[in-house]
Amino acid sequence: MATTAVARLLFGRVPRVSRNLSQFSSLKFYSSQPSNYEYIKTEKAGEKQNVGVITLNRPKALNALCDDLILEVKDAVEKFDKDSSIGAMIITGSEKAFAAGADIKAMQNQTFSQTVNGRMLEGWSSISDASKPLIAAVNGYALGGGCELAMMCDIIYAGETARFGQPEIIIGTIPGAGGTQRLTRVIGKSKAMEMVLTGNQISAVEAEKSGLVSKVFPPDQLLAEAVKLGERIATHSQIIVSLAKDSVNRAYETTLQEGLRYEKKIFYGTFATADRKEGMSAFIEKRPPKFINE
C-alpha cells in the first residue's frame, strides 16, 4: 500500500496526473487553521468560512487509512459538527488518491481473536453520525476503505480521474466498513456483487451513472466545486438541514411506509422551529431569510 509498485499490483495502473493541475488551484477559498493532527489537515473554506475541510495527508502511502488517521478524521468531524459557524463539511485527499484503501501492513498479522477483541474498524461508521452534511471530494483512487469512507459521506463529488472499487477479494478478505452494504444499497445488487467478487474498479463517469457519485468535474476544479456545494447548504438553517439529512438516511434503513411516517413526523417537527417560521415569512415577504438555527 505504501508504494506505487504495491498499488499497481492490487489496484491496477496508477492514473497519470498532470503536473500542471492542482486540486488546490482555488486557494482563495481557503484559510488554514492550526491543528495538531499528524495524518490530516483541517481548514475552514468559503467566503464566510462556513465549510469545514478535512484533507487526508499520507501522500507516500496514497492516503492509506490507518487507525490513527481514522481517529483524527473522526475527531475533526466531531469538532466541525459542534462548531456553530460551520454549515457543511468536506473530506478530501490528494489529486492522486482520495484513499487507496485501509493500511494492509497494519492488518497483515492480525488474528481472528485480535480483530474481534480489538473491535477492528468499529469506530469508522461513527463518522457518518455527524448531524451536518458530509461531502466527499474524490480525486484519484477511492478503493477499499477509501471507497467506504466516501460512502459514509452524504454526497460524493468526483474528479474525472477518480476510480472507485472494493478490491479486498484480491488480498483474501472482504470489505469490513460498509462496502458490501452501502454499495449494494446505492448501485444495486448485481453491480455491487460484480465489484466485490472481482475487485474491479469503476471510473468516475460510471460511478455517476450508477448513482454512487452526484457530479464529476475536472480534477483541478473538484475541491472548489465541493466548497460551493457546502456554501450553498450552509445558507440554510442548520437544524432543518440536519432533520432533512436524517430523514433521507432513514430511507436506507426502513420500509417505504415506515419511512413515510417518519418523514411526516419530521415535517411536523419543523413547525416547532423558529427557522421554519422565518423561512416561510421571508418567502411571503419576498426577502432573504435570516436563519438563527433554532
Side-chain angles (χ1 to χ4, degrees):
M1 287 295 293
T3 66
T4 301
V6 175
R8 285 175 176 163
L9 175 64
L10 291 177
F11 310 126
R13 184 178 178 182
V14 177
R16 294 182 64 186
V17 179
S18 171
R19 294 183 181 272
N20 295 321
L21 296 178
S22 169
Q23 77 163 335
F24 298 106
S25 61
S26 299
L27 280 171
K28 63 182 180 180
F29 284 97
Y30 293 88
S31 173
S32 296
Q33 305 296 311
S35 69
N36 296 318
Y37 297 122
E38 182 178 359
Y39 297 115
I40 66 173
K41 295 179 180 179
T42 59
E43 301 168 301
K44 288 185 178 182
E47 293 183 4
K48 296 182 179 180
Q49 301 289 280
N50 55 3
V51 180
V53 180
I54 301 166
T55 303
L56 310 184
N57 189 36
R58 291 188 73 197
K60 293 182 179 180
L62 296 177
N63 290 331
L65 302 173
C66 63
D67 288 342
D68 287 341
L69 184 151
I70 290 296
L71 287 173
E72 290 184 358
V73 170
K74 179 181 175 182
D75 182 73
V77 167
E78 290 175 351
K79 286 179 178 176
F80 278 139
D81 206 31
K82 294 175 182 177
D83 187 338
S84 61
S85 71
I86 296 297
M89 294 173 277
I90 296 170
I91 298 178
T92 191
S94 67
E95 194 165 307
K96 191 172 186 179
F98 175 75
D103 194 329
I104 297 174
K105 289 183 178 180
M107 295 189 294
Q108 183 179 7
N109 296 319
Q110 291 280 317
T111 66
F112 172 74
S113 62
Q114 287 174 328
T115 61
V116 174
N117 294 332
R119 304 181 72 177
M120 182 185 286
L121 307 181
E122 191 72 22
W124 285 46
S125 60
S126 63
I127 292 170
S128 62
D129 292 339
S131 62
K132 295 174 184 176
L134 276 168
I135 302 162
V138 178
N139 266 325
Y141 289 127
L143 305 177
C147 186
E148 290 169 316
L149 177 60
M151 290 190 292
M152 290 176 197
C153 297
D154 302 299
I155 300 169
I156 303 176
Y157 273 10
E160 292 168 341
T161 61
R163 304 285 298 180
F164 297 85
Q166 298 292 160
E168 289 87 351
I169 200 79
I170 298 172
I171 56 172
T173 187
I174 72 168
T180 65
Q181 302 301 303
R182 288 189 174 95
L183 189 64
T184 303
R185 284 165 169 76
V186 173
I187 68 175
K189 177 184 175 181
S190 180
K191 191 65 178 178
M193 193 73 81
E194 179 187 12
M195 290 177 65
V196 170
L197 297 187
T198 65
N200 289 348
Q201 302 169 24
I202 60 173
S203 67
V205 172
E206 190 173 359
E208 181 185 24
K209 183 178 178 181
S210 66
L212 180 61
V213 164
S214 293
K215 293 182 179 178
V216 177
F217 300 95
D220 62 327
Q221 298 176 21
L222 172 66
L223 196 53
E225 292 295 336
V227 170
K228 288 180 185 177
L229 174 63
E231 288 183 294
R232 175 66 185 273
I233 292 170
T235 64
H236 304 305
S237 162
Q238 289 184 19
I239 190 170
I240 301 301
V241 166
S242 176
L243 292 172
K245 169 180 170 173
D246 184 44
S247 189
V248 172
N249 281 333
R250 185 58 63 102
Y252 286 92
E253 300 166 0
T254 189
T255 64
L256 175 60
Q257 290 304 314
E258 287 298 320
L260 290 170
R261 279 191 285 270
Y262 185 80
E263 177 190 66
K264 196 171 267 72
K265 289 179 181 178
I266 295 296
F267 169 70
Y268 294 158
T270 65
F271 282 74
T273 68
D275 283 347
R276 190 283 312 168
K277 184 177 181 179
E278 166 62 12
M280 291 188 177
S281 296
F283 179 81
I284 292 171
E285 296 166 11
K286 295 182 169 52
R287 61 173 175 81
K290 296 180 180 180
F291 295 122
I292 60 174
N293 302 320
E294 294 181 3

